[in-house]
Amino acid sequence: MKKLLTVLLAAIFLLAVAAPALAETAPIRVGFANINEKGSFGKMVLQNMKKVAAERGYEIICVDNNSDGATAVQNADTLISMDIDIMIEFNVDQSVAPVIMEKFNAASIPVIAIDIAHEGATFFGADNAFAGTLAGETAGDWVNKNWGGEIEYVVLIVQPVSGPAVAPRVKMFPEGIRNKGIAFEDSQIVEIDGQNDAQFTQARFADFLLAHPDAKKIAVATINDVAASGVYAAAETAGRAENIVLVSQNCTADFVEPMYAVEGKTNWIASIAYFPNRYGEFVFNIVDKLVAGETLEPAYYIDHIAITWDNIKEWYPIDNLPWAGL
């Protein structure tokens, strides 16, 4: 009996000594609230987040904001209750950003906000002003080559719910066109709220085309490829695809696959790339800095590229598309 008691006491002692070491080696728990997982963009982001977290030894807990502010707030509560150490927030409804940040600040959880600025969080994502200007310059080059440098209307498909930080993706489009020496009045700029919905955008742009039956040279910018698919569907349905030049943002399957299907013979000429298939790599570089105790920059930006038929095979080869198999 005495021998058994000695063994038990020794085991308890070893567990007591080992417990702090085990606690020290427990992985850092990272919460990730994704934009949505309906389309290829969100799926690519999720896939890369999980992959990089596993490679770098982080535990990641993922939820889907479903592009909805109320859901994003609920997800914040859920992740806080799961004792996360760091939060990666991809919420597109800026109106709820203060509520979300209040919750994480109260829990002393540092936040990295993707694409939509959340005051008090480290920002990662688009250089929106550059992306919008690049879209305009890409359209401007095409207009100079194909329309003799003339434009009748500039149509901006906006998304007010995402807030002023994202707006330059579209609002800087006219400036980019003007950078190419193309002159037009501000009165020729038309804004349409696409509500981040392809069918709604299609209906609204169809209304614009109906109201301007004689317009032959219309430059269009959209905040993403989803909205652009609605714009182009409206133009094709009206038999007026040749009357528009369209540049979108995000460069997802919604742009790349139709571009390959028509071998570049389209007036949806470009999409600005954000490389969501590498978001995990980019964001966990910031997480690594945070864990190491380094001082973070207020913002980290993507290097955007305009993807056209001329360079699509270099960046998105048809036999190795990043969303294949999702």
Side-chain angles (χ1 to χ4, degrees):
M1 177 64 73
K2 187 179 291 186
K3 184 176 181 181
L4 177 60
L5 182 59
T6 301
V7 171
L8 287 172
L9 288 172
I12 292 169
F13 175 77
L14 288 172
L15 286 172
V17 171
L22 289 171
E24 289 174 4
T25 59
I28 291 171
R29 180 173 288 183
V30 178
F32 172 49
N34 200 7
I35 179 173
N36 71 63
E37 289 155 24
K38 298 174 183 175
S40 61
F41 188 96
K43 289 177 181 178
M44 283 188 286
V45 173
L46 178 65
Q47 183 183 65
N48 196 236
M49 287 287 182
K50 288 181 174 180
K51 176 178 180 291
V52 177
E55 289 173 349
R56 302 192 188 184
Y58 294 102
E59 178 185 356
I60 188 167
I61 301 172
C62 304
V63 294
D64 183 359
N65 282 338
N66 200 30
S67 296
D68 177 69
T71 302
V73 172
Q74 292 172 1
N75 283 337
D77 288 329
T78 298
L79 291 169
I80 290 169
S81 72
M82 299 180 76
D83 295 325
I84 61 170
D85 301 299
I86 297 169
M87 178 63 191
I88 302 169
E89 180 64 70
F90 201 169
N91 159 51
V92 296
D93 186 349
Q94 195 169 49
S95 69
V96 301
V99 177
I100 289 172
M101 289 305 299
E102 183 179 4
K103 291 175 181 293
F104 286 117
N105 288 338
S108 299
I109 298 171
V111 179
I112 300 167
I114 299 178
D115 277 354
I116 309 295
H118 288 49
E119 187 174 354
T122 300
F123 176 83
F124 163 76
D127 186 340
N128 292 303
F130 175 79
T133 304
L134 179 60
E137 290 175 347
T138 302
D141 285 336
W142 189 95
V143 168
N144 281 329
K145 181 179 179 180
N146 294 276
W147 288 347
E150 296 180 356
I151 286 179
E152 294 170 77
Y153 290 98
V154 176
V155 178
L156 310 179
I157 308 298
V158 297
Q159 185 175 303
V161 69
S162 292
V166 176
R169 291 190 196 184
V170 174
K171 299 272 191 174
M172 291 300 292
F173 183 72
E175 186 70 19
I177 295 174
R178 286 170 170 149
N179 287 349
K180 295 299 179 174
I182 299 167
F184 52 89
E185 301 296 326
D186 287 348
S187 60
Q188 294 170 261
I189 302 173
V190 178
E191 293 189 8
I192 296 173
D193 182 0
Q195 297 191 7
N196 198 32
D197 182 90
Q199 290 184 334
F200 186 86
T201 301
Q202 180 176 347
R204 292 296 304 277
F205 191 66
D207 291 341
F208 171 84
L209 292 175
L210 188 63
H212 302 84
D214 298 325
K216 304 296 184 186
K217 299 174 180 178
I218 308 164
V220 187
T222 66
I223 202 162
N224 55 36
D225 295 332
V226 171
S229 65
V231 167
Y232 209 70
E236 287 190 311
T237 300
R240 295 177 63 185
E242 73 279 2
N243 295 155
I244 73 168
V245 57
L246 172 62
V247 181
S248 56
Q249 304 278 334
N250 286 352
C251 198
T252 62
D254 294 316
F255 167 77
V256 172
E257 292 180 5
M259 177 65 84
Y260 271 115
V262 297
E263 297 182 337
K265 298 177 178 65
T266 173
N267 281 36
W268 184 357
I269 64 165
S271 185
I272 308 304
Y274 289 65
F275 305 108
N277 54 304
R278 296 183 62 196
Y279 268 31
E281 175 189 338
F282 299 144
V283 171
F284 274 97
N285 285 344
I286 303 171
V287 172
D288 288 344
K289 293 177 185 293
L290 185 61
V291 171
E294 297 182 25
T295 301
L296 299 183
E297 299 291 334
Y300 297 84
Y301 295 106
I302 298 162
D303 292 327
H304 299 287
I305 295 172
I307 304 300
T308 68
W309 182 244
D310 291 335
N311 65 3
I312 196 170
K313 294 177 183 178
E314 174 186 355
W315 292 100
Y316 292 90
I318 190 64
D319 59 350
N320 190 28
L321 295 174
W323 49 82
L326 291 178

